Amino acid sequence: MIRALFFDAGGTLLTPAEPVGRIYARLAQARGWRAREEEMEKGFRAAWKKRRVEGMGSDGTLGREGWRKIVKESAMGLGMPADFPFEDYFSEVYDYFARPDAWQDFPEVDEVIRSVREKGVRVGMISNWDPRLRRVLGGFSWAGLLDPILISEECGVEKPHVSLFRRAEEEAGLKAEECALVGDDPLSDRAGAEGAGWRCALVERPYRGLWEALGELGL
């Protein structure tokens, strides 16, 4: 019986309010580099995919320094000018994504979280993020219903590592077989949860959202 349902954050409950490449390009252009949105988006996705495949769960947690590497790799592959003030640019990019208005929730999020709670199931969050997430969540009323919230950088380990799931169990006072995760990533979410003995269901937007994930879990 599921007594606690945890949600991943990015891609599951939240998504950038604008395409990442658009934001990267706009902030670069403000500092004199006429970067193109499409190229920045492609560069970001390539750098993120590389980190996801090669680093997730093995190179520590994705904090400020990890994001610095991703943003720099995104820019270097697009011919970043030698005199471009990258450190100032990165600080602006990093701070931008700490703003609640840089993000939007998917349309069903509030109703889904309240529906699960009405069934007597505890609702929490496990995210491979950094402390900026707490500021971001402050802009969404449903976030006040999440307890506990586990953020990888604060915990010193990230999904799919089993210890993050064990910590969630400890904070919730529950056993593995009483916990489930809804996420969007087969590696960090499904492999991590099932490796810890949890149940898991994935969203696959835009084809499969939170309601379908709940249905798979019998909630």
Side-chain angles (χ1 to χ4, degrees):
M1 177 181 178
I2 296 174
R3 297 180 59 193
L5 180 63
F6 290 81
F7 290 93
D8 170 56
T12 302
L13 302 184
L14 298 170
T15 190
E18 298 180 79
V20 172
R22 181 179 304 167
I23 297 163
Y24 281 21
R26 183 169 67 239
L27 297 180
Q29 289 166 7
R31 295 183 178 275
W33 177 20
R34 297 187 64 81
R36 295 176 56 189
E37 174 184 337
E38 298 81 5
E39 293 177 346
M40 293 295 269
E41 182 74 27
K42 184 177 180 179
F44 163 72
R45 291 188 179 278
W48 172 248
K49 181 178 180 180
K50 180 179 178 181
R51 196 272 169 181
R52 176 184 169 275
V53 173
E54 298 179 359
M56 189 173 289
S58 64
D59 66 346
T61 56
L62 185 58
R64 184 184 178 91
E65 183 57 28
W67 275 110
R68 181 183 178 279
K69 292 177 181 177
I70 289 173
V71 175
K72 189 166 188 177
E73 187 166 334
S74 301
M76 291 292 286
L78 301 176
M80 180 177 69
D83 61 348
F84 184 70
F86 175 78
E87 295 301 334
D88 293 338
Y89 168 72
F90 168 67
S91 292
E92 189 173 6
V93 168
Y94 190 79
D95 291 343
Y96 180 90
F97 284 101
R99 294 164 33 180
D101 65 349
W103 299 87
Q104 64 185 17
D105 55 356
F106 291 100
E108 76 273 30
V109 170
D110 186 86
E111 188 177 358
V112 163
I113 288 175
R114 295 180 188 279
S115 173
V116 173
R117 281 175 54 91
E118 288 172 3
K119 292 180 171 66
V121 176
R122 189 169 181 173
V123 179
M125 175 177 283
I126 304 178
S127 176
N128 284 354
W129 209 304
D130 55 71
R132 291 178 300 167
L133 179 57
R134 296 196 183 276
R135 180 178 168 191
V136 169
L137 291 174
F140 299 89
S141 60
W142 47 259
L145 303 176
L146 303 176
D147 180 42
I149 296 174
L150 289 92
I151 299 173
S152 60
E153 192 180 11
E154 294 179 348
C155 297
V157 66
E158 64 182 27
K159 299 174 293 183
H161 201 286
V162 68
S163 64
L164 189 57
F165 294 90
R166 294 291 174 257
R167 179 160 176 174
E169 295 164 15
E170 181 180 350
E171 293 201 14
L174 298 172
K175 300 176 182 178
E177 59 267 25
E178 297 173 311
C179 299
L181 175 71
V182 172
D184 71 311
D185 188 88
L187 175 59
S188 64
D189 294 321
R190 184 179 292 282
E194 293 180 351
W198 291 29
R199 294 182 62 188
C200 181
L202 299 182
V203 298
E204 187 181 354
R205 301 185 185 279
Y207 311 106
R208 174 181 164 87
L210 295 175
W211 289 116
E212 288 79 8
L214 292 190
E216 180 180 336
L217 295 171
L219 293 173

